[in-house]
Amino acid sequence: MSKWQDKSNEEINIAVTGHVHNCKDWELSADRLRFYHHGNDVSQFFEIHVLDYCGNWAFAGPLIQECEIHLIDPTSAGLDGEWSASKFYPEFGKDDIEADDENPLRAAMIVYLEINGVQPNE
């Protein structure tokens, strides 16, 4: 089971936004709605809003397509109401990555984070 499975949608959205926008050394605002960074020049200020990847196909869809994450709906796979998201690796010796959830976008974003080696803050 993925370390992301027990994390909230908010935590997953923050992690995906941070990874997509390369916010590694940026600060997360107290309300957890945006990343911010002060540039080398005092007048420089950069801000990235945390996007709802777990709830909006417009944000998650391009990542799902780009990373070739497969989604299988619960009715076609007999998954008891849970969607299955997976990334298949045909290369020998590399394990496939899978996640199941009632929310297909959440399952796909867990796979996205796993593909990219993003670890949750424990």
Side-chain angles (χ1 to χ4, degrees), residues 51-104:
L51 300 177
D52 184 11
Y53 289 96
C54 291
N56 191 323
W57 281 96
F59 301 138
L63 297 179
I64 293 168
Q65 183 177 13
E66 175 185 316
C67 294
E68 298 177 345
I69 297 171
H70 300 272
L71 286 171
I72 301 172
D73 72 89
T75 57
S76 68
L79 295 172
D80 295 330
E82 290 195 335
W83 286 77
S84 178
S86 56
K87 171 68 176 174
F88 299 113
Y89 291 99
E91 302 90 19
F92 179 75
K94 190 159 187 180
D95 293 334
D96 296 339
I97 297 173
E98 299 179 70
D100 299 328
D101 198 90
E102 292 177 358
N103 175 349

Side-chain angles (χ1 to χ4, degrees), residues 43-62:
S43 66
Q44 292 179 322
F45 181 79
F46 304 98
E47 182 176 80
I48 301 282
H49 289 268
V50 173
L51 300 177
D52 184 11
Y53 289 96
C54 291
N56 191 323
W57 281 96
F59 301 138

